[in-house]
Amino acid sequence: GAGVSQSPRYKVAKRGQDVALRCDPISGHVSLFWYQQALGQGPEFLTYFQNEAQLDKSGLPSDRFFAERPEGSVSTLKIQRTQQEDSAVYLCASSLGARVRYTFGSGTRLTVV
Amino acid sequence: DAKTTQPTSMDCAEGRAANLPCNHSTISGNEYVYWYRQIHSQGPQYIIHGLKNNETNEMASLIITEDRKSSTLILPHATLRDTAVYYCIVRVASSGDLTNFGNEKLTFGTGTRLTIIP
C-alpha cells in the first residue's frame, strides 16, 4: 500500500490478557520501528528491525514485550500479561534504508482495563 | 544524538507565519536537524531536514543559524490544519548509501504544541 498500515486501530484488553499488534510497512522498506507513546508525551523507541533481523530492542520495557518480523515485511508486537501501565499508542514506522526519513502509521491505541 | 530544547506551546493566528524555534547547542558536525509533526490521532509526519544551509520545501522552510546551535521552522501561511505537535530532532543523516546502517532510531522529545487560532 501507499502508507504504513497498523491494526487494530483500537484495542481494549483486560489486565493479564495477551495482545498482538500488527504493522504492515511500505513495500520494500528495509527498516521497521516500533514506538510507544504515552498520553501527552513524545514517542519512545521500543525496537528496530533491518529486514527480518531485530537489531535493537533496547527500548522494550520488559520481557512481556516481544516483536517479530519473520519474513522481513509484516511485523507483530506482542504484549503478554498486559498491565495498566501498558496503556498507550503503539506506533510503527518504516524507512527505505539507512537513516532516511521515516513514514509512520496512525498507531494502535491500547487501553488496559 | 544531540539533545534539543523547544518551547512547550505556541499560538499563531491563521494566515500568519508560524516560527517554531529549536535549540541544539551540542550538535555535532555530521548531525542534521529534522522536523516532524504529529497531528492529533495520527503518527508523526516528516516535514523537512537540513545540515547548515537554509532549506525550503512545499511544507515549510528551515533556517539554521551559522553556528548551527539553533534553528527555526517556518510555516509561511499557517492554516487550522497545521495545529499539531512539532518535534525538532538532531541526528546523523544518510550518507547516501542506503545500506550503510548505523544508529537508526529517532529520539523524540516532547515537542512544541502549536495551536493555530482562527
Side-chain angles (χ1 to χ4, degrees):
Chain A
V4 177
S5 177
Q6 291 188 247
S7 61
R9 189 77 172 89
Y10 301 92
K11 176 69 179 178
V12 178
K14 291 185 177 179
R15 191 170 55 179
Q17 186 179 353
D18 297 349
V19 299
L21 312 180
R22 178 186 170 102
C23 173
D24 279 272
I26 293 174
S27 178
H29 276 199
V30 171
S31 299
L32 185 144
F33 305 83
W34 283 99
Y35 282 77
Q36 181 190 56
Q37 187 171 25
L39 191 64
Q41 302 296 314
E44 295 278 346
F45 171 81
L46 293 177
T47 187
Y48 157 63
F49 290 85
Q50 182 183 320
N51 295 308
E52 68 279 2
Q54 188 174 19
L55 298 186
D56 187 346
K57 51 183 181 179
S58 61
L60 295 176
S62 77
D63 58 8
R64 295 186 296 104
F65 287 70
F66 171 77
E68 60 183 5
R69 194 187 185 197
E71 297 179 358
S73 57
V74 171
S75 177
T76 303
L77 176 67
K78 297 179 179 177
I79 309 173
Q80 297 177 320
R81 304 180 303 282
T82 52
Q83 304 294 316
Q84 280 193 313
E85 61 263 28
D86 300 335
S87 295
V89 175
Y90 290 85
L91 294 161
C92 176
S94 69
S95 69
L96 184 60
R99 296 190 297 286
V100 292
R101 69 187 69 172
Y102 287 24
T103 301
F104 280 84
S106 295
T108 294
R109 179 177 295 278
L110 173 65
T111 304
V112 181
V113 296
Chain B
D1 295 336
K3 181 178 172 59
T4 63
T5 304
Q6 300 177 252
T8 302
S9 63
M10 293 180 62
D11 293 339
C12 178
E14 187 178 15
R16 305 296 292 270
N19 298 284
L20 292 92
C22 179
N23 287 323
H24 32 78
S25 58
T26 60
I27 192 170
S28 300
N30 63 345
E31 289 182 315
Y32 284 63
V33 181
Y34 283 78
W35 285 83
Y36 282 75
R37 75 178 183 184
Q38 188 171 24
I39 295 170
H40 183 62
S41 295
Q42 297 182 23
Q45 173 194 26
Y46 167 84
I47 302 173
I48 199 167
H49 74 283
L51 180 64
K52 55 183 178 181
N53 297 319
N54 298 338
E55 301 288 343
T56 295
N57 63 20
E58 65 280 4
M59 291 183 68
S61 295
L62 175 61
I63 308 298
I64 302 173
T65 58
E66 193 169 340
D67 64 7
R68 303 209 321 121
K69 293 185 177 182
S70 65
S71 60
T72 301
L73 178 74
I74 300 172
L75 308 178
H77 305 287
T79 71
L80 298 178
R81 288 191 298 270
D82 293 321
T83 292
V85 178
Y86 287 76
Y87 297 99
C88 170
I89 300 165
V90 173
R91 69 172 307 199
V92 177
S94 171
S95 63
D97 177 359
L98 294 180
T99 65
N100 183 14
F101 292 91
N103 182 6
E104 297 301 312
K105 66 185 180 187
L106 285 177
T107 301
F108 291 83
T110 52
T112 295
R113 181 172 299 277
L114 174 67
T115 302
I116 306 302
I117 310 296

